[in-house]
């Protein structure tokens, strides 16, 4: 574990050079990792662990679409794919990767198989941080740990197959065995993390819920829509509005930011673009800062958690979700996007 200075703040980080895959395999050589859930994070994490040489099984409801997906991915019923309860019984490390609502409903089944010395692993601090709302209170004689990849399971898997790594945070909530830290670091390396940075369960969920509702998903869709609509209202075509709002950002500019930072991206744009961006960025910051402060307080108070629990637990949740996604998908902006993507050179 190394201390890295981030703008004057020291943080604990672990790199793959410092904790190589061979060391991770040695730490977990006697463990059976049971991945419970095969939805967003389950496939990427389980497949990466399997390909990295760990003993992995998957627990999923038989007959579900996720069960069928697991079979298609090479998990074998009765050998490496089991019903949730059997997988939980077999596993010495239980990776609890169901949705937050799913974790609440299945918790009684999982809890009875958390015998002394096992480890309970999360990729989100939700269930533990909001335990008074979720009812998820682990036994005192198990390790409770977290690896939270900073991206979707799809991205984690794609980057793994490209020989790259997606950065992840790690945390230890409960160390019952004295091995929780080495277990969590080994798992972080095993799932394909680029590097690992330390957090705790509360900070992880607060930052995650804020980020998802903010710049990662909610805010960026809102800003896209506002700029696109403004251009369209002023006579610009759908193609022009989409290209200036989204295509140029995602295909040209964000890769430059990822490579060397925002200032480097600015330096590689025209002087007119530089001047305008430097003049306007603080106005956007000042306009949105109150919204982010309101959002963070809603997360901290538990309001966002309760909204998620209430809505995601309803029997018609998926139907309502699909209706909302359909509305977005069929908006003119994203219909224009579908056409633009087909016109990209790699698709012709």
């Amino acid at each position: 574990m190394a201390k890295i200075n981030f703008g004057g703040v020291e943080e604990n980080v672990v790199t793959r050079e410092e904790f190589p895959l061979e060391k991770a395999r040695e730490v977990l050589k006697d463990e059976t990792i049971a991945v419970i859930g095969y939805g967003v994070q389950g496939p990427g994490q389980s497949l990466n662990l399997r390909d990295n040489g760990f003993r992995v099984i998957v627990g999923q409801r038989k007959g579900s679409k996720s069960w069928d997906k697991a079979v298609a991915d090479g998990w074998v019923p009765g050998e490496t794919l089991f019903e949730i309860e059997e997988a939980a019984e077999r596993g010495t490390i239980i990776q609890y990767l169901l949705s937050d609502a799913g974790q609440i409903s299945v918790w009684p089944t999982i809890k009875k198989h958390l015998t002394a010395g096992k480890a309970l692993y999360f990729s989100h601090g939700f269930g533990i941080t909001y335990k008074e709302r979720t009812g998820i209170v682990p036994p005192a004689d198990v390790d409770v740990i977290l690896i939270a990849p900073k991206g979707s399971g799809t991205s984690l898997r794609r980057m793994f197959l490209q020989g790259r790594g997606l950065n992840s945070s790690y945390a230890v909530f409960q160390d019952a065995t004295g091995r929780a830290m080495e277990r969590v670091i080994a798992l972080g390396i095993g799932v394909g993390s680029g590097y690992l940075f330390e957090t705790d369960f509360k900070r992880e969920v607060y930052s995650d819920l804020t980020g998802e509702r903010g710049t990662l998903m909610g805010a960026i869709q809102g800003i896209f829509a506002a700029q696109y609509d403004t251009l369209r209202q002023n006579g610009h075509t759908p193609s022009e509005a989409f290209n200036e709002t989204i295509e140029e950002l995602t295909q040209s500019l964000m890769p430059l930011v990822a490579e060397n930072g925002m200032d480097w991206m600015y330096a590689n744009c025209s002087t007119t673009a530089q001047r305008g961006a430097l003049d306007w960025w603080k106005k956007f910051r000042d306009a949105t800062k109150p919204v982010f402060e309101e959002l963070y307080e809603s997360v901290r108070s538990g309001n966002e958690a309760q909204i998620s629990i209430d809505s995601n637990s309803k029997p018609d949740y998926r139907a309502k979700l699909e209706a909302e996604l359909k509305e977005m998908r069929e908006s003119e902006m994203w219909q224009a996007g579908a056409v633009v993507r087909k016109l990209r050179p790699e698709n012709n």
Side-chain angles (χ1 to χ4, degrees), residues 29-100:
K29 65 181 180 180
D30 297 323
E31 306 271 17
T32 296
I33 304 165
V35 177
I36 308 299
Y38 209 74
V40 176
Q41 283 290 336
Q45 293 199 34
S46 62
L47 291 169
N48 290 0
L49 284 164
R50 183 181 72 182
D51 290 355
N52 271 334
F54 297 89
R55 186 185 302 116
V56 187
I57 60 175
V58 171
Q60 183 56 45
R61 293 181 183 87
K62 192 172 185 178
S64 66
K65 290 182 180 179
S66 295
W67 176 281
D68 295 340
K69 182 180 185 329
V71 172
D73 285 343
W75 301 100
V76 180
E79 295 181 15
T80 55
L81 177 61
F82 303 92
E83 291 273 8
I84 288 174
E85 183 158 7
E86 185 172 356
E89 183 180 7
R90 288 170 175 264
T92 59
I93 297 172
I94 297 176
Q95 290 194 254
Y96 206 25
L97 301 183
L98 294 169
S99 68
D100 295 323

Side-chain angles (χ1 to χ4, degrees), residues 45 76 84 86 90 114 117 119 172 264 284 299 325:
Q45 293 199 34
V76 180
I84 288 174
E86 185 172 356
R90 288 170 175 264
L114 286 171
V172 173
W264 195 76
F284 281 105
V299 170
L325 294 177

